[in-house]
Amino acid sequence: MYEQIRKTKVKERKGRDLPLWIGLAASAAVILSVIIPVVIGAYAQHNYHMMFQEMARSSVYSRNHASAWLYVDGERYFYRADRTSGLFTLLAEGGSGKPQKELPDSDCVLIDFGDGATLQIWYAKVKGDYGGPAIDGLFLSYVNPEGKRYSYTTSWVYVKELIPYLSPEAEDWLDAGIAQMDPDR
């Protein structure tokens, strides 16, 4: 019975698998090129929302303890904590912008909430979408009471919009930012 079974020669498959491997590599590259930006974007959005949650806690703390201070040009001024809710609303409407790692070297306004948290605001030129020219915007950096820093830029909020939310003591800083961003003023 076993005599009738013949061994057949197995053809070598050298070159036949190459298109399969090329197809798998191309598919993996396409999948990674979609997944990586989605994961990075989700992480940035998560940090943005965490920043605002923590800023809200700091704002409540400063309101309850009358502990908020505004620093402009090295001078310290009492900051009315009731202004922070309007400031946060404005900044939240500006969207999450682009996360940043390095802080600007220029002058900023700093709000110290008294619980160890600070918010720094710079006027800045922000890289436009899709490689367009730099446009006017803000650079924001919040450090929570534990020392974690959240920084991003946004081109949807302008220095002029900050006027009602920053103390009159910041007028010179605001004017300098408005003049820099709006040379025709």
Side-chain angles (χ1 to χ4, degrees):
M1 176 165 155
Y2 293 107
E3 299 154 359
Q4 295 176 1
I5 298 175
R6 295 185 197 170
K7 286 187 175 179
T8 58
K9 287 188 175 180
V10 177
K11 293 183 181 179
E12 290 188 28
R13 296 186 60 142
K14 274 186 178 175
R16 292 172 94 194
D17 290 339
L18 185 62
L20 174 67
W21 287 109
I22 291 173
L24 286 173
S27 297
V30 168
I31 290 170
L32 286 176
S33 69
V34 171
I35 290 175
I36 289 173
V38 168
V39 169
I40 290 171
Y43 180 74
Q45 282 295 315
H46 172 73
N47 278 343
Y48 169 74
H49 291 291
M50 288 301 298
M51 179 182 83
F52 273 94
Q53 285 178 1
E54 293 191 25
M55 279 187 355
R57 278 188 227 122
S58 294
S59 176
V60 169
Y61 179 90
S62 67
R63 185 172 298 143
N64 291 339
H65 295 90
S67 61
W69 295 94
L70 177 76
Y71 291 86
V72 183
D73 296 327
E75 297 291 324
R76 177 179 157 175
Y77 306 97
F78 181 73
Y79 184 70
R80 289 190 1 232
D82 61 324
R83 294 176 185 245
T84 58
S85 60
L87 177 65
F88 293 166
T89 300
L90 176 69
L91 297 177
E93 288 173 356
S96 62
K98 183 177 179 185
Q100 299 294 317
K101 294 188 189 253
E102 295 183 23
L103 301 178
D105 289 333
S106 58
D107 292 334
C108 70
V109 167
L110 181 135
I111 299 171
D112 182 345
F113 297 98
D115 64 348
T118 60
L119 172 66
Q120 292 172 281
I121 305 171
W122 291 266
Y123 41 87
K125 291 288 187 182
V126 178
K127 213 181 250 189
D129 293 336
Y130 307 109
I135 54 179
D136 296 331
L138 295 176
F139 187 110
L140 308 168
S141 184
Y142 173 78
V143 178
N144 72 11
E146 291 79 37
K148 181 169 180 170
R149 181 178 296 277
Y150 302 92
S151 299
Y152 73 92
T153 56
T154 181
S155 60
W156 292 97
V157 180
Y158 301 101
V159 174
K160 286 180 187 178
E161 296 173 287
L162 298 176
I163 293 171
Y165 308 110
L166 295 178
S167 299
E169 291 83 4
E171 185 176 346
D172 289 343
W173 181 86
L174 290 164
D175 285 345
I178 292 168
Q180 179 179 336
M181 293 182 168
D182 187 10
D184 297 333
R185 182 181 156 215

